[in-house]
Amino acid sequence: METNDSALNPEEMARARKLLRSKPKVERMWPVVAAAGFAAFCALAFATAMIMAPPVITEHVVESAPK
């Protein structure tokens, strides 16, 4: 008597399992790199704007203090 009493063909079952097995998902790196580049660009743009912007207060605090 055979050890495999199943009516299913083992080779075909192995093939079906292989076809049903999900392929490993490859993660893409370009969205992460793009987000990091955008964040770095924004940080540099805001830093430049803070350096180049005129001061908010144009008169000395001592001059505007009540006497």
Side-chain angles (χ1 to χ4, degrees), residues 25-38:
K25 187 174 181 179
V26 177
E27 295 186 18
R28 298 177 296 178
M29 287 300 295
W30 70 265
V32 177
V33 173
F38 181 70

Side-chain angles (χ1 to χ4, degrees), residues 34-46:
F38 181 70
F41 174 77
C42 287
L44 289 174
F46 289 140

Side-chain angles (χ1 to χ4, degrees), residues 3-44:
T3 58
N4 187 3
D5 291 336
S6 175
L8 300 173
N9 186 353
E11 290 86 19
E12 292 297 322
M13 287 302 297
R15 181 176 175 268
R17 285 189 187 100
K18 180 183 170 189
L19 290 173
L20 290 174
R21 192 176 319 136
S22 64
K23 295 179 181 176
K25 187 174 181 179
V26 177
E27 295 186 18
R28 298 177 296 178
M29 287 300 295
W30 70 265
V32 177
V33 173
F38 181 70
F41 174 77
C42 287
L44 289 174

Side-chain angles (χ1 to χ4, degrees), residues 62-67:
V62 177
E63 291 178 3
S64 65
K67 294 181 183 182

